[in-house]
Amino acid sequence: MKVIFKTSYDRDIDLHKDVWSRGRIAALVAVMAALPFLVGEYYLAEATNTLIWALAGMGLMLLVGHSGQVSLGHAAFLAIGAYTDSALMNIGLPFVVTFPAAALAAGLFGALVAIPAVRMSGIYLAIATLALFVIVEEMIIILEPITGGVGGIQAPAIEIAGISFDRYGHLDHFYWLCLTVVVAVTWAYANLLRSPTGRSFLAVRDSEVSARALGINVTRTRALAFGLSCAMTGLAGALMGHYIAFFNYELFSVFISINLLLVVTIGGLGFIQGAFFGAILITAVPQLIAILRGAARDSLGVDIGGMPGLDTMLFAMILVGFIIYEPTGLYGRWLKTKVWFELFPLARRDMFRRQKSYLKTERQK
Amino acid sequence: MSLLEVEDLAIHFGGVKAVDGVSFSVAPGEVFSIIGPNGAGKSTIFNLISRIYKPTRGTIRFDGTEITGFQAHQVAPLGIARTFQNIELFDHSTVLDNLLMGRHTHRSTNFVQDMLFLPAVRRAERAHRRRVEEVMEFLELEAYREKMIAGLPYGVRKVVEIGRALAVGPKLILLDEPASGLSVEESQDVAFWIEDMRRDMGLTVLMVEHDMRLVAQVSDRVLAVANGKPLAQGTPSQVKADPGVQAAYLGTEVAQ
Ligand SMILES: Nc1ncnc2c1ncn2[C@@H]1O[C@H](COP(=O)(O)OP(=O)(O)O)[C@@H](O)[C@H]1O
Ligand SMILES: [Mg+2]
């Protein structure tokens, strides 16, 4: 087992507790950056998709995992990001302007609707966000001159400083762009969590009454979390638009919202890493099903290609399994496995059994 | 001049007059205790002061400011911190983070600075950490620094909550039954801490407590309440000797 001797407060303030952890992250980013040289177009496109999902997942993770609010309408903020970015590019603005504008539009809209919505909690907030999603969807169809209505909209090819990041012409460039955004957002997110802002999110999540007694303005904190979450999701939406290249409102269906919730729950609520685990799973499962389908057809002569909704059913089954057997998600499982190896052969069977909490009778809202 | 002045405070929940015409004032540097049987309205008085409840009637003044119309989160910045009878900690954070959350009123950076983790953020974090370490040293919590609240024994959690309130750096600290559920030794620690808070930190303490030994040991003055109404006020021995108080406590520890 590794013991870290801390010599100054900075050891706790720093993002990485030791050089190993810093090295691991650096190695991971290096491998990710080298991916275009290692895999073909098909898998690179899949990796790009996974990055975009991880970005959107981080957006929802901040909301659900770290500020304790739920949203069934996050596809709306993906849509706002995608349409803001593409519509502004279509009137001639460069990507370096439209991309931040997408975050700003989604973030401001999110914070604005959050102010009345954050007073709600649980199921009411879920329903309100779902309603919001329906409104945004209708707005997209109504605002045809900007959004292309039902017909859809073209996401123009990205160009920054004369270099093309076109998703089709230069997939490697587009992949690197997505990677850069994801790394930057992850860094900012991790910073947030080690600073007063992140702590205020956790405080509001875990005990509202205590948070208020400590001087935390709960409404404002929740609205900020909502806004930041939506801004991140808006960035993901903009990239998703470019990834798909031509899209209409159907790209942002309610199933996207649900899939995003799956990403954060299966990945592991309350951990940034969870968004990545979840994104990998959600983008890998359809591939896996395609492979299974092929195998079933070739070896058994059974065609399950005609069974629609198989992915959704599989996802749902995985989700139910996780909620019952591993509420801390994939990331939680990973942590436990790591500890088990570190302690080997000392690990005990019941090591991770949850401690019975004292009863919180009279607990105040 | 008194630090906290409560005048004719009352709150009714439907038909229940949980607090009904309570007045008292706490001088700076004083340890003031509120006693009374279960359901007397003691915690409700705390919730009124920390503005979780809105009073039906009456006023609360702190340090010359009338806070009756304040929102709950506006109270801590004035210098009022509190604990809860049923421990309200942030269960999924460490002891260290819980105490750091107590530093909220002293934050000097905004969320943009935080996201970029600018040098100002690091400087502020170091300062918060130094302050929190002092509190941990005072309450001997160092051994639990990195432990999650959810796995800690009850007694430790109670102390962590006191620590979080101290991390606020308040003028007035409200302790709701700080010794309930603690062993005799742990209660004794609480008594010493309260004396140190007053003597070394210059704090004013307002406490709700059942343990009459602790109350008598540390309090300058005591207010007894029953059914939301004040029964008696004075030094611990005066209040203990009051016939109304003895009647209200019949069969409980005070009467013994
Ligand atoms: N939020 C509330 N709604 C309704 N009744 C309440 C509420 N809070 C407290 N009460 C009632 O007020 C009375 C005093 O409660 P409390 O202040 O908790 O007593 P204690 O003196 O034991 O701390 C009790 O009868 C309780 O049921
Ligand atoms: Mg009480």
Side-chain angles (χ1 to χ4, degrees), chain A residues 6 9-10 12 14 191-192 195 197 199 203 207 209-210 212-213 215-216 358 363-364, chain B residues 47 52 73 76 86 88 90 104 107 111 114-116 122 125-126 129 133 146 157 164:
Chain A
K6 292 175 181 159
Y9 296 157
D10 281 8
D12 288 333
D14 287 340
N191 282 341
L192 209 62
S195 63
T197 307
R199 284 196 296 266
S207 170
V209 68
S210 283
R212 290 198 284 165
I216 297 172
Y358 57 95
R363 181 163 184 152
Q364 294 159 2
Chain B
N47 289 340
I52 295 171
H73 67 265
N86 296 295
E88 288 279 347
F90 307 116
H104 184 85
R107 71 178 285 188
F111 77 95
D114 283 359
M115 270 197 296
L116 300 173
R122 183 177 288 272
E125 283 296 294
R126 284 195 197 121
R129 181 67 189 271
E133 286 292 333
E146 311 279 327
R157 291 186 215 208
R164 188 179 64 184

mmCIF file of all heavy atoms in Angstrom, chain A residues 6 9-10 12 14 191-192 195 197 199 203 207 209-210 212-213 215-216 358 363-364, chain B residues 47 52 73 76 86 88 90 104 107 111 114-116 122 125-126 129 133 146 157 164:
data_model
loop_
_atom_site.group_PDB
_atom_site.id
_atom_site.type_symbol
_atom_site.label_atom_id
_atom_site.label_comp_id
_atom_site.label_asym_id
_atom_site.label_seq_id
_atom_site.Cartn_x
_atom_site.Cartn_y
_atom_site.Cartn_z
ATOM 1 N N LYS A 6 2.891 13.922 3.485
ATOM 2 C CA LYS A 6 2.606 15.271 3.033
ATOM 3 C C LYS A 6 3.498 16.251 3.769
ATOM 4 O O LYS A 6 3.635 16.187 4.976
ATOM 5 C CB LYS A 6 1.143 15.594 3.288
ATOM 6 C CG LYS A 6 0.256 14.777 2.408
ATOM 7 C CD LYS A 6 -1.183 15.000 2.725
ATOM 8 C CE LYS A 6 -2.020 14.117 1.823
ATOM 9 N NZ LYS A 6 -3.340 13.901 2.360
ATOM 10 N N TYR A 9 0.669 22.049 2.852
ATOM 11 C CA TYR A 9 -0.743 22.075 2.484
ATOM 12 C C TYR A 9 -0.898 21.957 0.986
ATOM 13 O O TYR A 9 -1.908 21.477 0.482
ATOM 14 C CB TYR A 9 -1.390 23.372 2.967
ATOM 15 C CG TYR A 9 -1.401 23.527 4.462
ATOM 16 C CD1 TYR A 9 -1.493 24.775 5.047
ATOM 17 C CD2 TYR A 9 -1.343 22.414 5.293
ATOM 18 C CE1 TYR A 9 -1.519 24.927 6.420
ATOM 19 C CE2 TYR A 9 -1.363 22.558 6.661
ATOM 20 C CZ TYR A 9 -1.444 23.806 7.225
ATOM 21 O OH TYR A 9 -1.477 23.957 8.565
ATOM 22 N N ASP A 10 0.122 22.422 0.238
ATOM 23 C CA ASP A 10 0.020 22.389 -1.216
ATOM 24 C C ASP A 10 -0.164 20.972 -1.741
ATOM 25 O O ASP A 10 -0.747 20.776 -2.805
ATOM 26 C CB ASP A 10 1.261 23.032 -1.851
ATOM 27 C CG ASP A 10 1.160 24.553 -1.823
ATOM 28 O OD1 ASP A 10 0.220 25.050 -1.182
ATOM 29 O OD2 ASP A 10 2.007 25.220 -2.436
ATOM 30 N N ASP A 12 -2.143 18.856 -0.658
ATOM 31 C CA ASP A 12 -3.591 18.617 -0.708
ATOM 32 C C ASP A 12 -4.269 19.540 -1.705
ATOM 33 O O ASP A 12 -5.297 19.202 -2.277
ATOM 34 C CB ASP A 12 -4.214 18.846 0.669
ATOM 35 C CG ASP A 12 -3.846 17.733 1.632
ATOM 36 O OD1 ASP A 12 -3.585 16.613 1.155
ATOM 37 O OD2 ASP A 12 -3.810 17.983 2.843
ATOM 38 N N ASP A 14 -2.881 20.709 -4.511
ATOM 39 C CA ASP A 14 -2.537 20.328 -5.875
ATOM 40 C C ASP A 14 -3.529 19.320 -6.445
ATOM 41 O O ASP A 14 -4.128 18.538 -5.701
ATOM 42 C CB ASP A 14 -1.131 19.714 -5.918
ATOM 43 C CG ASP A 14 -0.058 20.780 -5.723
ATOM 44 O OD1 ASP A 14 -0.362 21.965 -5.944
ATOM 45 O OD2 ASP A 14 1.060 20.415 -5.343
ATOM 46 N N ASN A 191 -10.444 21.756 -11.183
ATOM 47 C CA ASN A 191 -10.106 22.950 -10.406
ATOM 48 C C ASN A 191 -11.290 23.415 -9.575
ATOM 49 O O ASN A 191 -11.152 23.783 -8.416
ATOM 50 C CB ASN A 191 -9.693 24.089 -11.340
ATOM 51 C CG ASN A 191 -8.280 23.915 -11.829
ATOM 52 O OD1 ASN A 191 -7.498 23.166 -11.229
ATOM 53 N ND2 ASN A 191 -7.938 24.585 -12.905
ATOM 54 N N LEU A 192 -12.447 23.385 -10.220
ATOM 55 C CA LEU A 192 -13.661 23.819 -9.544
ATOM 56 C C LEU A 192 -13.877 23.000 -8.264
ATOM 57 O O LEU A 192 -14.198 23.540 -7.211
ATOM 58 C CB LEU A 192 -14.842 23.608 -10.502
ATOM 59 C CG LEU A 192 -16.030 24.526 -10.352
ATOM 60 C CD1 LEU A 192 -15.638 25.966 -10.598
ATOM 61 C CD2 LEU A 192 -17.108 24.113 -11.336
ATOM 62 N N SER A 195 -11.884 23.904 -5.119
ATOM 63 C CA SER A 195 -11.947 25.308 -4.712
ATOM 64 C C SER A 195 -13.281 25.593 -4.014
ATOM 65 O O SER A 195 -14.152 24.737 -3.969
ATOM 66 C CB SER A 195 -11.795 26.179 -5.959
ATOM 67 O OG SER A 195 -12.881 25.938 -6.812
ATOM 68 N N THR A 197 -15.903 27.158 -4.861
ATOM 69 C CA THR A 197 -17.113 26.984 -5.671
ATOM 70 C C THR A 197 -17.572 25.529 -5.634
ATOM 71 O O THR A 197 -18.750 25.247 -5.398
ATOM 72 C CB THR A 197 -16.855 27.401 -7.130
ATOM 73 O OG1 THR A 197 -16.304 28.714 -7.138
ATOM 74 C CG2 THR A 197 -18.130 27.387 -7.934
ATOM 75 N N ARG A 199 -16.848 23.232 -3.477
ATOM 76 C CA ARG A 199 -17.283 22.845 -2.130
ATOM 77 C C ARG A 199 -18.690 23.349 -1.859
ATOM 78 O O ARG A 199 -19.478 22.668 -1.199
ATOM 79 C CB ARG A 199 -16.309 23.385 -1.083
ATOM 80 C CG ARG A 199 -15.012 22.601 -1.013
ATOM 81 C CD ARG A 199 -14.255 22.904 0.271
ATOM 82 N NE ARG A 199 -13.826 24.273 0.364
ATOM 83 C CZ ARG A 199 -12.634 24.720 -0.012
ATOM 84 N NH1 ARG A 199 -11.746 23.884 -0.487
ATOM 85 N NH2 ARG A 199 -12.323 25.987 0.114
ATOM 86 N N ALA A 203 -21.857 21.135 -0.751
ATOM 87 C CA ALA A 203 -22.577 21.495 0.466
ATOM 88 C C ALA A 203 -24.074 21.532 0.189
ATOM 89 O O ALA A 203 -24.873 20.955 0.930
ATOM 90 C CB ALA A 203 -22.098 22.854 0.976
ATOM 91 N N SER A 207 -26.410 18.853 2.322
ATOM 92 C CA SER A 207 -27.287 19.357 3.378
ATOM 93 C C SER A 207 -27.596 20.820 3.136
ATOM 94 O O SER A 207 -26.784 21.703 3.383
ATOM 95 C CB SER A 207 -26.649 19.192 4.761
ATOM 96 O OG SER A 207 -27.419 19.896 5.710
ATOM 97 N N VAL A 209 -29.737 22.725 4.627
ATOM 98 C CA VAL A 209 -29.907 23.556 5.813
ATOM 99 C C VAL A 209 -28.548 23.969 6.369
ATOM 100 O O VAL A 209 -28.339 25.116 6.774
ATOM 101 C CB VAL A 209 -30.808 22.843 6.853
ATOM 102 C CG1 VAL A 209 -30.133 21.624 7.433
ATOM 103 C CG2 VAL A 209 -31.204 23.792 7.958
ATOM 104 N N SER A 210 -27.586 23.057 6.338
ATOM 105 C CA SER A 210 -26.236 23.413 6.790
ATOM 106 C C SER A 210 -25.608 24.433 5.874
ATOM 107 O O SER A 210 -24.937 25.357 6.318
ATOM 108 C CB SER A 210 -25.324 22.186 6.786
ATOM 109 O OG SER A 210 -25.591 21.388 7.875
ATOM 110 N N ARG A 212 -26.975 26.704 4.151
ATOM 111 C CA ARG A 212 -27.496 28.037 4.421
ATOM 112 C C ARG A 212 -26.935 28.594 5.726
ATOM 113 O O ARG A 212 -26.601 29.770 5.819
ATOM 114 C CB ARG A 212 -29.025 28.000 4.471
ATOM 115 C CG ARG A 212 -29.601 27.751 3.091
ATOM 116 C CD ARG A 212 -31.049 28.148 3.031
ATOM 117 N NE ARG A 212 -31.894 27.161 3.699
ATOM 118 C CZ ARG A 212 -33.154 27.386 4.041
ATOM 119 N NH1 ARG A 212 -33.695 28.542 3.799
ATOM 120 N NH2 ARG A 212 -33.852 26.444 4.631
ATOM 121 N N ALA A 213 -26.816 27.720 6.724
ATOM 122 C CA ALA A 213 -26.283 28.183 8.003
ATOM 123 C C ALA A 213 -24.825 28.618 7.873
ATOM 124 O O ALA A 213 -24.323 29.363 8.700
ATOM 125 C CB ALA A 213 -26.418 27.082 9.054
ATOM 126 N N GLY A 215 -23.779 30.293 5.345
ATOM 127 C CA GLY A 215 -23.752 31.507 4.543
ATOM 128 C C GLY A 215 -23.813 31.259 3.050
ATOM 129 O O GLY A 215 -23.571 32.167 2.259
ATOM 130 N N ILE A 216 -24.111 30.032 2.659
ATOM 131 C CA ILE A 216 -24.181 29.731 1.232
ATOM 132 C C ILE A 216 -25.577 30.062 0.708
ATOM 133 O O ILE A 216 -26.574 29.569 1.248
ATOM 134 C CB ILE A 216 -23.831 28.253 0.970
ATOM 135 C CG1 ILE A 216 -22.385 27.977 1.391
ATOM 136 C CG2 ILE A 216 -24.038 27.891 -0.504
ATOM 137 C CD1 ILE A 216 -21.985 26.518 1.358
ATOM 138 N N TYR A 358 -26.545 6.329 11.190
ATOM 139 C CA TYR A 358 -27.490 6.604 12.256
ATOM 140 C C TYR A 358 -28.754 7.164 11.629
ATOM 141 O O TYR A 358 -28.735 7.715 10.537
ATOM 142 C CB TYR A 358 -26.914 7.621 13.234
ATOM 143 C CG TYR A 358 -26.517 8.888 12.561
ATOM 144 C CD1 TYR A 358 -27.389 9.960 12.527
ATOM 145 C CD2 TYR A 358 -25.289 8.990 11.908
ATOM 146 C CE1 TYR A 358 -27.054 11.106 11.858
ATOM 147 C CE2 TYR A 358 -24.953 10.137 11.235
ATOM 148 C CZ TYR A 358 -25.836 11.191 11.215
ATOM 149 O OH TYR A 358 -25.495 12.332 10.540
ATOM 150 N N ARG A 363 -34.736 15.199 10.734
ATOM 151 C CA ARG A 363 -33.816 15.892 9.837
ATOM 152 C C ARG A 363 -34.559 17.003 9.117
ATOM 153 O O ARG A 363 -35.642 16.813 8.600
ATOM 154 C CB ARG A 363 -33.256 14.912 8.813
ATOM 155 C CG ARG A 363 -32.291 15.606 7.904
ATOM 156 C CD ARG A 363 -31.416 14.664 7.162
ATOM 157 N NE ARG A 363 -30.501 15.520 6.410
ATOM 158 C CZ ARG A 363 -29.304 15.166 6.061
ATOM 159 N NH1 ARG A 363 -28.839 14.000 6.382
ATOM 160 N NH2 ARG A 363 -28.550 15.983 5.388
ATOM 161 N N GLN A 364 -33.921 18.175 9.083
ATOM 162 C CA GLN A 364 -34.623 19.305 8.490
ATOM 163 C C GLN A 364 -34.347 19.403 7.019
ATOM 164 O O GLN A 364 -33.321 19.007 6.542
ATOM 165 C CB GLN A 364 -34.186 20.594 9.165
ATOM 166 C CG GLN A 364 -34.627 20.621 10.589
ATOM 167 C CD GLN A 364 -33.799 21.592 11.361
ATOM 168 O OE1 GLN A 364 -32.948 22.247 10.811
ATOM 169 N NE2 GLN A 364 -34.053 21.651 12.642
ATOM 170 N N ASN B 47 -33.569 27.808 15.401
ATOM 171 C CA ASN B 47 -33.952 27.915 13.985
ATOM 172 C C ASN B 47 -34.510 29.292 13.648
ATOM 173 O O ASN B 47 -34.418 29.738 12.506
ATOM 174 C CB ASN B 47 -34.970 26.834 13.628
ATOM 175 C CG ASN B 47 -34.337 25.458 13.600
ATOM 176 O OD1 ASN B 47 -33.115 25.340 13.472
ATOM 177 N ND2 ASN B 47 -35.143 24.426 13.734
ATOM 178 N N ILE B 52 -34.055 30.041 9.758
ATOM 179 C CA ILE B 52 -34.636 28.938 9.005
ATOM 180 C C ILE B 52 -36.150 29.045 9.086
ATOM 181 O O ILE B 52 -36.865 28.745 8.133
ATOM 182 C CB ILE B 52 -34.133 27.594 9.567
ATOM 183 C CG1 ILE B 52 -32.628 27.475 9.335
ATOM 184 C CG2 ILE B 52 -34.868 26.419 8.939
ATOM 185 C CD1 ILE B 52 -32.003 26.306 10.027
ATOM 186 N N HIS B 73 -29.055 32.567 4.717
ATOM 187 C CA HIS B 73 -27.638 32.624 4.373
ATOM 188 C C HIS B 73 -26.997 33.969 4.685
ATOM 189 O O HIS B 73 -25.798 34.138 4.537
ATOM 190 C CB HIS B 73 -27.446 32.276 2.892
ATOM 191 C CG HIS B 73 -28.029 33.290 1.967
ATOM 192 N ND1 HIS B 73 -29.294 33.173 1.431
ATOM 193 C CD2 HIS B 73 -27.540 34.452 1.507
ATOM 194 C CE1 HIS B 73 -29.546 34.224 0.674
ATOM 195 N NE2 HIS B 73 -28.500 35.012 0.699
ATOM 196 N N ALA B 76 -24.801 34.007 8.719
ATOM 197 C CA ALA B 76 -23.421 33.601 8.993
ATOM 198 C C ALA B 76 -22.404 34.723 8.746
ATOM 199 O O ALA B 76 -21.481 34.894 9.547
ATOM 200 C CB ALA B 76 -23.069 32.356 8.174
ATOM 201 N N ASN B 86 -29.468 17.196 15.397
ATOM 202 C CA ASN B 86 -29.349 15.906 14.727
ATOM 203 C C ASN B 86 -28.230 15.877 13.703
ATOM 204 O O ASN B 86 -28.348 15.235 12.675
ATOM 205 C CB ASN B 86 -30.661 15.543 14.047
ATOM 206 C CG ASN B 86 -31.753 15.352 15.067
ATOM 207 O OD1 ASN B 86 -31.693 14.432 15.876
ATOM 208 N ND2 ASN B 86 -32.709 16.248 15.077
ATOM 209 N N GLU B 88 -25.974 17.812 11.109
ATOM 210 C CA GLU B 88 -26.187 18.041 9.671
ATOM 211 C C GLU B 88 -24.831 18.280 9.017
ATOM 212 O O GLU B 88 -24.477 19.415 8.721
ATOM 213 C CB GLU B 88 -27.093 19.258 9.459
ATOM 214 C CG GLU B 88 -28.538 19.040 9.827
ATOM 215 C CD GLU B 88 -29.316 18.321 8.748
ATOM 216 O OE1 GLU B 88 -28.808 18.196 7.619
ATOM 217 O OE2 GLU B 88 -30.441 17.879 9.042
ATOM 218 N N PHE B 90 -21.851 17.292 5.941
ATOM 219 C CA PHE B 90 -21.823 16.888 4.544
ATOM 220 C C PHE B 90 -21.215 15.494 4.508
ATOM 221 O O PHE B 90 -20.000 15.318 4.520
ATOM 222 C CB PHE B 90 -21.031 17.911 3.733
ATOM 223 C CG PHE B 90 -21.534 19.307 3.948
ATOM 224 C CD1 PHE B 90 -20.748 20.276 4.538
ATOM 225 C CD2 PHE B 90 -22.830 19.645 3.583
ATOM 226 C CE1 PHE B 90 -21.226 21.559 4.746
ATOM 227 C CE2 PHE B 90 -23.318 20.927 3.792
ATOM 228 C CZ PHE B 90 -22.517 21.882 4.377
ATOM 229 N N HIS B 104 -16.813 29.378 4.084
ATOM 230 C CA HIS B 104 -17.487 29.996 2.939
ATOM 231 C C HIS B 104 -17.607 31.514 3.047
ATOM 232 O O HIS B 104 -17.404 32.229 2.070
ATOM 233 C CB HIS B 104 -18.867 29.386 2.733
ATOM 234 C CG HIS B 104 -19.559 29.912 1.523
ATOM 235 N ND1 HIS B 104 -19.361 29.389 0.271
ATOM 236 C CD2 HIS B 104 -20.408 30.957 1.355
ATOM 237 C CE1 HIS B 104 -20.063 30.074 -0.601
ATOM 238 N NE2 HIS B 104 -20.713 31.032 0.024
ATOM 239 N N ARG B 107 -14.682 33.503 1.689
ATOM 240 C CA ARG B 107 -14.121 33.260 0.356
ATOM 241 C C ARG B 107 -13.884 34.590 -0.356
ATOM 242 O O ARG B 107 -14.654 35.532 -0.237
ATOM 243 C CB ARG B 107 -14.989 32.319 -0.467
ATOM 244 C CG ARG B 107 -16.290 32.879 -0.949
ATOM 245 C CD ARG B 107 -17.014 31.859 -1.785
ATOM 246 N NE ARG B 107 -16.400 31.727 -3.105
ATOM 247 C CZ ARG B 107 -16.914 31.025 -4.091
ATOM 248 N NH1 ARG B 107 -18.028 30.348 -3.878
ATOM 249 N NH2 ARG B 107 -16.327 30.961 -5.247
ATOM 250 N N PHE B 111 -16.137 32.150 -9.202
ATOM 251 C CA PHE B 111 -16.068 30.832 -9.838
ATOM 252 C C PHE B 111 -15.140 30.803 -11.055
ATOM 253 O O PHE B 111 -14.551 29.769 -11.359
ATOM 254 C CB PHE B 111 -17.478 30.322 -10.186
ATOM 255 C CG PHE B 111 -18.092 30.942 -11.408
ATOM 256 C CD1 PHE B 111 -17.992 30.316 -12.644
ATOM 257 C CD2 PHE B 111 -18.809 32.128 -11.325
ATOM 258 C CE1 PHE B 111 -18.576 30.872 -13.768
ATOM 259 C CE2 PHE B 111 -19.387 32.687 -12.436
ATOM 260 C CZ PHE B 111 -19.265 32.066 -13.667
ATOM 261 N N ASP B 114 -11.770 30.393 -9.702
ATOM 262 C CA ASP B 114 -11.676 29.023 -9.181
ATOM 263 C C ASP B 114 -11.436 28.019 -10.305
ATOM 264 O O ASP B 114 -10.619 27.112 -10.178
ATOM 265 C CB ASP B 114 -12.969 28.656 -8.438
ATOM 266 C CG ASP B 114 -13.021 29.290 -7.059
ATOM 267 O OD1 ASP B 114 -12.052 29.979 -6.695
ATOM 268 O OD2 ASP B 114 -14.025 29.092 -6.357
ATOM 269 N N MET B 115 -12.162 28.194 -11.424
ATOM 270 C CA MET B 115 -12.022 27.248 -12.533
ATOM 271 C C MET B 115 -10.620 27.279 -13.126
ATOM 272 O O MET B 115 -10.107 26.268 -13.579
ATOM 273 C CB MET B 115 -13.040 27.576 -13.630
ATOM 274 C CG MET B 115 -14.340 26.855 -13.453
ATOM 275 S SD MET B 115 -15.321 26.850 -14.961
ATOM 276 C CE MET B 115 -15.650 28.550 -15.204
ATOM 277 N N LEU B 116 -10.037 28.467 -13.139
ATOM 278 C CA LEU B 116 -8.686 28.598 -13.703
ATOM 279 C C LEU B 116 -7.624 28.356 -12.631
ATOM 280 O O LEU B 116 -6.435 28.317 -12.926
ATOM 281 C CB LEU B 116 -8.509 29.991 -14.314
ATOM 282 C CG LEU B 116 -9.492 30.326 -15.434
ATOM 283 C CD1 LEU B 116 -9.363 31.778 -15.862
ATOM 284 C CD2 LEU B 116 -9.264 29.403 -16.641
ATOM 285 N N ARG B 122 -5.035 29.758 -4.919
ATOM 286 C CA ARG B 122 -4.117 28.955 -4.122
ATOM 287 C C ARG B 122 -3.763 29.671 -2.813
ATOM 288 O O ARG B 122 -3.756 29.055 -1.748
ATOM 289 C CB ARG B 122 -2.851 28.642 -4.924
ATOM 290 C CG ARG B 122 -1.864 27.752 -4.186
ATOM 291 C CD ARG B 122 -0.664 27.408 -5.041
ATOM 292 N NE ARG B 122 -0.988 26.474 -6.114
ATOM 293 C CZ ARG B 122 -0.964 25.149 -5.980
ATOM 294 N NH1 ARG B 122 -0.646 24.606 -4.819
ATOM 295 N NH2 ARG B 122 -1.263 24.374 -6.996
ATOM 296 N N GLU B 125 -6.665 29.375 -0.542
ATOM 297 C CA GLU B 125 -6.804 28.005 -0.047
ATOM 298 C C GLU B 125 -5.821 27.739 1.096
ATOM 299 O O GLU B 125 -6.161 27.099 2.077
ATOM 300 C CB GLU B 125 -6.558 26.992 -1.173
ATOM 301 C CG GLU B 125 -7.734 26.841 -2.123
ATOM 302 C CD GLU B 125 -8.965 26.283 -1.441
ATOM 303 O OE1 GLU B 125 -8.942 25.118 -1.011
ATOM 304 O OE2 GLU B 125 -9.962 27.019 -1.306
ATOM 305 N N ARG B 126 -4.592 28.231 0.941
ATOM 306 C CA ARG B 126 -3.603 28.046 2.000
ATOM 307 C C ARG B 126 -4.063 28.714 3.291
ATOM 308 O O ARG B 126 -3.944 28.146 4.370
ATOM 309 C CB ARG B 126 -2.254 28.641 1.583
ATOM 310 C CG ARG B 126 -1.498 27.800 0.588
ATOM 311 C CD ARG B 126 -0.053 28.267 0.538
ATOM 312 N NE ARG B 126 0.594 27.760 -0.667
ATOM 313 C CZ ARG B 126 1.139 28.528 -1.611
ATOM 314 N NH1 ARG B 126 1.148 29.840 -1.473
ATOM 315 N NH2 ARG B 126 1.692 27.994 -2.669
ATOM 316 N N ARG B 129 -6.839 26.815 4.852
ATOM 317 C CA ARG B 129 -6.323 25.571 5.403
ATOM 318 C C ARG B 129 -5.643 25.807 6.751
ATOM 319 O O ARG B 129 -5.814 25.043 7.692
ATOM 320 C CB ARG B 129 -5.354 24.934 4.403
ATOM 321 C CG ARG B 129 -4.759 23.622 4.843
ATOM 322 C CD ARG B 129 -5.814 22.533 4.925
ATOM 323 N NE ARG B 129 -5.252 21.346 5.553
ATOM 324 C CZ ARG B 129 -4.650 20.381 4.887
ATOM 325 N NH1 ARG B 129 -4.565 20.427 3.580
ATOM 326 N NH2 ARG B 129 -4.146 19.337 5.527
ATOM 327 N N GLU B 133 -6.780 24.102 10.157
ATOM 328 C CA GLU B 133 -5.858 23.267 10.929
ATOM 329 C C GLU B 133 -5.820 23.709 12.393
ATOM 330 O O GLU B 133 -5.719 22.883 13.296
ATOM 331 C CB GLU B 133 -4.446 23.310 10.332
ATOM 332 C CG GLU B 133 -4.292 22.531 9.034
ATOM 333 C CD GLU B 133 -4.427 21.017 9.200
ATOM 334 O OE1 GLU B 133 -4.146 20.487 10.294
ATOM 335 O OE2 GLU B 133 -4.851 20.369 8.225
ATOM 336 N N GLU B 146 -8.682 13.124 6.927
ATOM 337 C CA GLU B 146 -9.011 12.634 5.578
ATOM 338 C C GLU B 146 -10.182 11.649 5.580
ATOM 339 O O GLU B 146 -10.474 11.036 4.568
ATOM 340 C CB GLU B 146 -7.806 11.928 4.960
ATOM 341 C CG GLU B 146 -6.511 12.695 5.055
ATOM 342 C CD GLU B 146 -6.400 13.750 3.973
ATOM 343 O OE1 GLU B 146 -6.915 13.511 2.875
ATOM 344 O OE2 GLU B 146 -5.821 14.823 4.256
ATOM 345 N N ARG B 157 -18.498 12.832 14.976
ATOM 346 C CA ARG B 157 -19.287 13.725 14.126
ATOM 347 C C ARG B 157 -19.744 14.954 14.878
ATOM 348 O O ARG B 157 -19.773 16.056 14.336
ATOM 349 C CB ARG B 157 -20.531 13.000 13.624
ATOM 350 C CG ARG B 157 -20.232 11.909 12.659
ATOM 351 C CD ARG B 157 -21.545 11.386 12.152
ATOM 352 N NE ARG B 157 -21.427 9.960 11.926
ATOM 353 C CZ ARG B 157 -22.154 9.321 11.029
ATOM 354 N NH1 ARG B 157 -23.041 9.972 10.325
ATOM 355 N NH2 ARG B 157 -22.000 8.040 10.869
ATOM 356 N N ARG B 164 -16.740 22.694 12.374
ATOM 357 C CA ARG B 164 -17.205 23.422 11.198
ATOM 358 C C ARG B 164 -17.748 24.794 11.596
ATOM 359 O O ARG B 164 -17.520 25.794 10.910
ATOM 360 C CB ARG B 164 -18.293 22.618 10.481
ATOM 361 C CG ARG B 164 -18.681 23.207 9.153
ATOM 362 C CD ARG B 164 -19.735 22.381 8.469
ATOM 363 N NE ARG B 164 -20.975 22.365 9.226
ATOM 364 C CZ ARG B 164 -22.045 21.645 8.898
ATOM 365 N NH1 ARG B 164 -22.009 20.868 7.830
ATOM 366 N NH2 ARG B 164 -23.134 21.675 9.633
#
